[in-house]
Amino acid sequence: MTHVVTEQCVHCKFAECVTYCPVACFREADSFLVIDPDECIDCGNCVQACPSDAIYPENEVPAELAPALEWNARLAPLLPLATIRVQPLDDAEKWNGAPDKWASLAPDLAPRRA
Ligand code: F3S
């Protein structure tokens, strides 16, 4: 099993999760992070660390956020490793909790919806 980052990370990227991860499972895009399912050890440390409540165990992802499973798995191999030097985005607080953030991403960075 793995944990997954969901839509609420987009345009926030608070990066607290990276600090709490005991392995190297987070990958970084310009405006969000994803989790590499092949690296995640399912410790769950990152869940409580995220100010956006963006991270779920894969078997607890709400139905409306289910595209996150494909999103994390597809993008993780394409993105660089996120380090503890990742900084929150300047507008993180403004975007925190905003709706429909996936819709603001370029098609190649957005989840593929069924
Ligand atoms: Fe994103 Fe939350 Fe981490 S906003 S970068 S999943 S702390």
Side-chain angles (χ1 to χ4, degrees), residues 6-110:
T6 64
E7 184 174 30
Q8 279 308 323
C9 182
V10 175
H11 303 311
C12 291
K13 204 163 79 169
F14 282 108
E16 295 289 337
C17 52
V18 180
T19 306
Y20 285 85
C21 180
V23 296
C25 72
F26 284 94
R27 299 290 184 274
E28 182 182 13
D30 286 346
S31 60
F32 58 86
L33 300 187
V34 293
I35 289 174
D36 185 339
D38 293 332
E39 297 292 338
C40 178
I41 60 169
D42 249 357
C43 70
N45 291 351
C46 55
V47 174
Q48 295 300 321
C50 176
S52 291
D53 295 327
I55 305 175
Y56 294 83
E58 67 175 332
N59 62 351
E60 295 178 20
V61 176
E64 67 274 17
L65 298 175
L69 295 167
E70 176 274 338
W71 190 53
N72 283 244
R74 174 170 49 90
L75 294 182
L78 306 176
L79 296 172
L81 189 64
T83 72
I84 58 171
R85 281 189 279 273
V86 174
Q87 293 295 310
L89 296 176
D90 289 344
D91 287 340
E93 291 297 344
K94 187 186 94 177
W95 282 94
N96 195 6
D100 299 325
K101 294 199 280 184
W102 274 332
S104 68
L105 296 173
D108 59 328
L109 291 176

